[in-house]
């Protein structure tokens, strides 16, 4: 087995065995109770926003150590067991069309949540747009969850799949105020070569925003001019040219994907009508991957302001050791040991029950002291 420091998330199409789901729920609930007692909801959100801490949690509860399902199943389990009114923590969104439910679910959170649901819904949408439009790495998003504490600490965990390579990629964000320009908390996945990374290029973003204010037909002419520079040059020669004229040596395969010029022109007409002040407004107005790909090509080949082509995958340590807690459903590093799993669950549940009793006793003692000192009962 090769440990490279990168989380590989191959696409798995199986299901979690029916007997394992109750174990995963009880174990997740027991771990969550300990985390809430020790840290509180804010810290739980922060920890789950770390891609490899998230992976370690997934491994501990018995999910595959290297599967795309580590995202969908783990977040699904968490959403099932979390009780927002009691835990001060909520998990919204989910897989497929469930991702679109984030705004509605935020609005329906109980009164103990001190949040601006409209702002969080906007952040949720912007982050999804960022990882599909400003970062084009060949992975199509199919899961999007927003986790939030009652005090407003939040994170987004979303996952995309690449059907060609059959690998998934998980993107983590935590309480950013400007996802267009701020960095991810981390990205778990296998590095790829062909990436259009406008997100990490301030110069390219500025040129693209200027282009969005131009007449759409001028953009069409510039795009045709840029593509004409590539005619007669093989892809290998193009990449190895160095900087000749305005052709960037870092240009990658991403630009070879076809762009529907007429559709891009329609988008540009709509965007220009509203004259976006910044990239955030442009994305919310409907600028998508094809438009950004076309404008990035113009930015690179006409205005010599290339976007980044660096894949921002970042993984600081390997979480595989946590798969040894109770085993994994696919038998790696060994089949789930049910007896061990229930021992861990019972130990954690006993600890939590004891801690809650101690807290109750402590609160009662403090109330008695207040009565003796002030002659009044708590709450009067």
């Amino acid at each position: 087995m090769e440990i490279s420091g990168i989380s590989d998330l191959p696409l798995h199409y199986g299901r979690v065995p029916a007997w394992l789901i109750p174990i995963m729920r009880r174990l997740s609930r027991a771990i969550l109770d300990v985390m809430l007692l020790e840290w509180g909801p804010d810290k739980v959100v922060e920890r789950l926003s770390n891609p490899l801490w998230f992976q370690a949690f997934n491994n501990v509860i018995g999910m595959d150590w290297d599967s795309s399902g580590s995202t969908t199943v783990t977040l699904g389990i968490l959403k099932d067991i979390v009780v927002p009114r009691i835990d001060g923590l909520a998990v919204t969104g989910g897989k497929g069309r469930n991702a679109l439910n984030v705004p509605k679910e935020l609005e329906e959170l109980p009164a103990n949540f001190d949040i601006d649901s409209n702002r969080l819904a906007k952040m949720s949408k912007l982050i999804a747009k960022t990882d599909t439009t400003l970062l084009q790495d060949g992975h199509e998003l199919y899961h999007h969850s927003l986790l939030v504490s009652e005090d407003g600490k939040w994170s987004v965990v979303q996952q995309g799949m690449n059907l060609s390579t059959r690998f998934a990629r998980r993107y983590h964000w935590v309480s950013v105020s400007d996802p267009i320009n701020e960095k991810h908390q981390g990205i778990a996945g296998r590095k790829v070569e062909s990436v259009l990374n406008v997100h990490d290029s301030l110069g390219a973003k500025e040129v693209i925003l200027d282009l969005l204010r131009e007449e759409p037909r001028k953009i069409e002419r510039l795009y045709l001019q840029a593509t004409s520079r590539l005619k007669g040059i093989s892809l290998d020669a193009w990449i190895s040219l160095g900087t000749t004229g305005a052709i960037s040596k870092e240009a990658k395969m991403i630009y070879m994907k076809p762009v529907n010029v007429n559709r891009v022109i329609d988008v540009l007409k709509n965007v220009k009508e509203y004259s976006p002040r910044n990239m955030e407004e442009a994305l919310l107005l409907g600028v998508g991957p094809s438009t950004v790909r076309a404008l990035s090509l113009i930015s690179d080949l006409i205005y010599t302001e290339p976007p980044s082509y660096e894949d921002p995958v970042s993984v600081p340590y390997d979480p595989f050791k946590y798969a040894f807690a109770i085993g994994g459903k696919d038998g790696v590093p060994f089949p789930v040991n049910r007896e061990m799993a229930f021992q861990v669950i019972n130990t954690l549940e006993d600890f939590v029950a004891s801690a809650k009793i101690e807290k109750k006793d402590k609160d009662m003692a403090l109330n008695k002291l207040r009565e003796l000192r002030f002659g009044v009962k708590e709450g009067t």
Side-chain angles (χ1 to χ4, degrees):
M1 179 187 64
E2 178 184 358
I3 299 295
S4 65
I6 301 291
S7 265
D8 288 343
L9 300 175
L11 296 181
H12 284 193
Y13 296 100
R15 290 180 175 271
V16 178
W19 61 265
L20 181 56
I21 292 175
I23 292 176
M24 295 175 75
R25 283 178 176 155
R26 273 188 70 185
L27 187 52
S28 297
R29 182 68 248 186
I31 294 171
L32 183 65
D33 281 337
V34 173
M35 292 161 63
L36 289 171
L37 281 169
E38 289 291 315
W39 302 331
D42 282 5
K43 193 68 174 178
V44 173
V45 171
E46 183 181 324
R47 286 296 178 95
L48 289 170
S49 72
N50 180 307
L52 285 177
W53 199 96
F54 181 99
Q55 190 70 29
F57 179 89
N58 157 83
N59 293 349
V60 167
I61 65 174
M63 190 54 194
D64 301 336
W65 72 277
D66 68 339
S67 165
S68 60
S70 64
T71 306
T72 57
V73 172
T74 300
L75 286 168
I77 292 286
L78 284 172
K79 190 169 185 177
D80 283 346
I81 65 167
V82 166
V83 183
R85 180 177 56 82
I86 297 172
D87 297 327
L89 175 70
V91 181
T92 67
K95 184 178 179 180
R97 294 188 64 84
N98 290 326
L100 302 177
N101 295 333
V102 170
K104 180 181 177 183
E105 291 176 9
L106 288 173
E107 290 179 356
E108 294 173 347
L109 289 177
N112 56 307
F113 279 74
D114 183 20
I115 63 170
D116 182 340
S117 59
N118 290 329
R119 186 185 72 85
L120 282 182
K122 179 181 176 181
M123 283 294 170
S124 169
K125 184 175 182 179
L126 273 175
I127 284 172
K129 293 283 285 184
T130 296
D131 283 337
T132 55
T133 301
L134 297 187
L135 175 59
Q136 298 184 38
D137 55 15
H139 295 77
E140 183 177 348
L141 291 185
Y142 69 98
H143 188 109
H144 176 97
S145 291
L146 185 145
L147 298 81
V148 61
S149 75
E150 59 187 355
D151 291 330
K153 184 83 171 181
W154 60 272
S155 71
V156 166
V157 180
Q158 55 188 7
Q159 183 158 288
M161 68 169 75
N162 186 320
L163 293 177
S164 297
T165 63
R166 298 180 63 81
F167 276 89
R169 172 171 291 197
R170 190 169 62 240
Y171 311 82
H172 291 251
W173 297 81
V174 58
S175 291
V176 296
S177 58
D178 179 14
I180 306 300
N181 296 302
E182 293 183 58
K183 297 286 188 180
H184 296 77
Q185 179 75 352
I187 303 176
R190 172 175 287 190
K191 278 189 175 291
V192 296
E193 293 297 322
S194 302
V195 172
L196 177 61
N197 184 0
V198 176
H199 181 259
D200 291 344
S201 176
L202 178 60
K205 277 186 284 195
E206 289 177 345
V207 171
I208 289 171
L209 193 57
D210 286 340
L211 290 171
L212 287 170
R213 301 185 183 113
E214 293 282 357
E215 287 297 327
R217 289 303 167 189
K218 178 181 178 181
I219 303 302
E220 181 180 18
R221 290 194 300 273
L222 289 172
Y223 178 72
L224 294 175
Q225 181 183 343
T227 55
S228 70
R229 295 192 179 192
L230 306 178
K231 291 180 179 177
I233 304 176
S234 71
L235 186 61
D236 289 339
W238 176 34
I239 293 174
S240 62
L241 267 175
T243 302
T244 303
I247 299 180
S248 169
K249 67 179 180 180
E250 293 89 358
K252 298 289 184 179
M253 276 288 291
I254 194 78
Y255 282 145
M256 305 309 288
K257 297 176 71 172
V259 169
N260 185 325
V261 177
N262 290 331
R263 186 174 179 182
V264 169
I265 294 300
D266 288 340
V267 171
L268 291 174
K269 286 178 179 177
N270 180 64
V271 171
K272 187 178 185 303
E273 181 180 344
Y274 291 93
S275 187
R277 294 169 297 176
N278 49 47
M279 188 61 72
E280 175 182 308
E281 291 184 1
L283 292 179
L284 293 176
L285 283 170
V287 170
S290 294
T291 303
V292 166
R293 199 156 62 243
L295 297 180
S296 296
L297 186 62
I298 295 169
S299 177
D300 189 351
L301 301 190
I302 304 298
Y303 294 100
T304 326
E305 189 65 71
S308 170
Y309 299 101
E310 290 297 318
D311 188 346
V313 162
S314 58
V315 178
Y317 65 93
D318 185 84
F320 177 62
K321 60 184 178 182
Y322 295 98
F324 287 87
I326 65 169
K329 80 173 181 68
D330 280 0
V332 180
F334 51 83
V336 171
N337 185 321
R338 301 191 200 193
E339 182 179 354
M340 183 187 301
F342 284 116
Q343 286 177 357
V344 172
I345 290 169
N346 291 332
T347 299
L348 290 173
E349 289 179 344
D350 288 346
F351 169 80
V352 170
S354 175
K356 287 181 176 179
I357 291 172
E358 289 175 4
K359 184 179 186 302
K360 185 177 180 180
D361 289 342
K362 182 180 178 181
D363 290 343
M364 288 177 62
L366 288 172
N367 288 340
K368 288 294 182 183
L369 284 173
R370 291 189 187 98
E371 289 177 32
L372 289 172
R373 183 176 180 184
F374 300 109
V376 295
K377 292 185 178 181
E378 182 72 12
T380 62

